[in-house]
């Protein structure tokens, strides 16, 4: 319903009223509240799309090579790549994938969140300036989050939220033959070189260590 809300086809209040009494409606209403919260933040801090809400002293990488790999869905991490390819094909990305690709760009690749925000803004059918900027700052640790240095593991996120690999296989046909946990770590499978899928662009554990050093934790 995000695009319907974005373009005024249905109001958030109408959805909240309809959902609040439904079974399981509470989490849905909280997401609507989170959306509204970013609009309030933008109203109070109009520079949200351009400036860090809470500066962390980051000196972001300017590597065009790794940014291009992320943008094209060729990072070597299946959940990240599936999300980016869904975005390119459909103008939409599942929320869990948005969180994962954002964390990967800003904390594994240490690329400025503004670069990611511009790319998603260009492609999202449900893009809203307040939510795009607010959520990017949240995931980059420069916004309103209470855990600014949390890093999402693209492998663990896939294992938890896509346990059968259905989402990954849908958008990464080169991995369609893989089953089980192999699809989350294809670089460890026998015959990986024949899959036409890239090696991981970074080692996640090493990237996390480097990110924490950047943030002087």
């Amino acid at each position: 319903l995000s695009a319907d809300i974005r373009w005024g086809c249905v109001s958030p209040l109408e959805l909240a009223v309809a959902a609040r009494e439904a079974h399981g409606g509470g989490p849905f209403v909280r997401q609507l509240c989170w959306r509204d919260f970013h609009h309030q933040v933008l109203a109070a801090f109009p520079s949200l799309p351009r400036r860090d809400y809470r500066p962390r002293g980051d000196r972001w990488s300017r590597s065009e090579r790794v940014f291009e790999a992320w943008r094209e869905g060729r990072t070597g991490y299946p959940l990240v790549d599936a999300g980016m390819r869904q975005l390119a094909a459909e103008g939409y990305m599942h929320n869990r994938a948005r969180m994962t690709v954002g964390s990967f760009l800003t904390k594994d690749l240490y690329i400025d969140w503004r670069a990611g925000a511009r790319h998603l803004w260009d492609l999202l059918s449900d893009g809203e300036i307040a939510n795009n900027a607010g959520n990017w700052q949240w995931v980059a640790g420069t916004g309103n989050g209470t855990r600014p240095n949390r890093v999402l593991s693209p492998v663990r996120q896939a294992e938890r939220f896509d346990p059968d690999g259905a989402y990954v296989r849908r958008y990464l046909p080169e991995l369609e033959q893989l089953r089980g946990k192999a699809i989350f770590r294809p670089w460890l499978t026998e015959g990986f070189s024949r899959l036409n899928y890239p090696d991981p662009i970074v080692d996640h554990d090493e990237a996390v260590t480097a990110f924490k050093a950047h943030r002087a934790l």
Side-chain angles (χ1 to χ4, degrees):
L1 294 170
S2 55
D4 299 275
I5 298 172
R6 164 65 180 89
W7 297 105
C9 301
V10 63
S11 78
L13 178 59
E14 180 182 358
L15 292 174
V17 170
R20 65 185 178 185
E21 301 300 332
H23 177 69
F28 180 77
V29 173
R30 285 196 293 274
Q31 291 302 312
L32 292 173
C33 294
W34 185 243
R35 172 189 177 277
D36 187 72
F37 170 73
H38 283 315
H39 284 265
Q40 295 182 49
V41 173
L42 180 64
F45 187 72
S47 298
L48 189 70
R50 301 182 301 278
R51 290 173 48 206
D52 290 343
Y53 186 82
R54 291 192 174 101
R56 304 293 181 187
D58 291 301
R59 301 180 66 181
W60 302 107
S61 167
R62 297 185 179 182
S63 174
E64 288 293 332
R65 178 184 65 85
V66 298
F67 181 65
E68 187 69 15
W70 175 83
R71 189 167 59 184
E72 294 182 354
R74 299 287 295 172
T75 68
Y77 285 91
L79 182 58
V80 174
D81 294 339
M84 297 307 295
R85 295 192 201 180
Q86 181 187 20
L87 173 66
E90 301 175 7
Y92 178 82
M93 191 193 308
H94 188 281
N95 182 60
R96 180 57 53 171
R98 295 188 199 200
M99 293 169 61
T100 304
V101 304
S103 177
F104 190 83
L105 181 72
T106 58
K107 292 173 176 174
D108 284 62
L109 303 182
Y110 202 52
I111 298 287
D112 195 329
W113 62 267
R114 281 159 283 235
R118 284 192 296 269
H119 180 64
L120 265 66
W121 178 254
D122 286 342
L123 297 181
L124 284 174
S125 61
D126 61 0
E128 294 188 70
I129 194 67
N131 293 299
N132 191 46
N135 280 311
W136 268 102
Q137 292 226 42
W138 178 85
V139 80
T142 61
N144 299 91
T146 57
R147 298 174 59 192
N149 299 311
R150 181 176 67 165
V151 181
L152 299 181
S153 164
V155 173
R156 287 199 295 271
Q157 290 291 304
E159 291 175 335
R160 181 179 178 186
F161 294 100
D162 186 31
D164 298 322
Y167 178 78
V168 165
R169 277 192 291 274
R170 179 177 179 180
Y171 296 102
L172 303 182
E174 61 267 45
L175 301 183
E176 189 175 10
Q177 62 183 313
L178 298 182
R179 291 295 182 271
K181 292 187 179 298
I183 199 166
F184 306 125
R185 297 178 176 85
W187 58 90
L188 298 179
T189 63
E190 184 177 352
F192 169 71
S193 61
R194 297 192 296 273
L195 293 177
N196 190 33
Y197 188 68
D199 289 309
I201 196 168
V202 293
D203 179 282
H204 175 69
D205 292 335
E206 292 178 0
V208 171
T209 299
F211 168 73
K212 290 181 177 180
H214 287 307
R215 288 274 172 98
L217 299 181

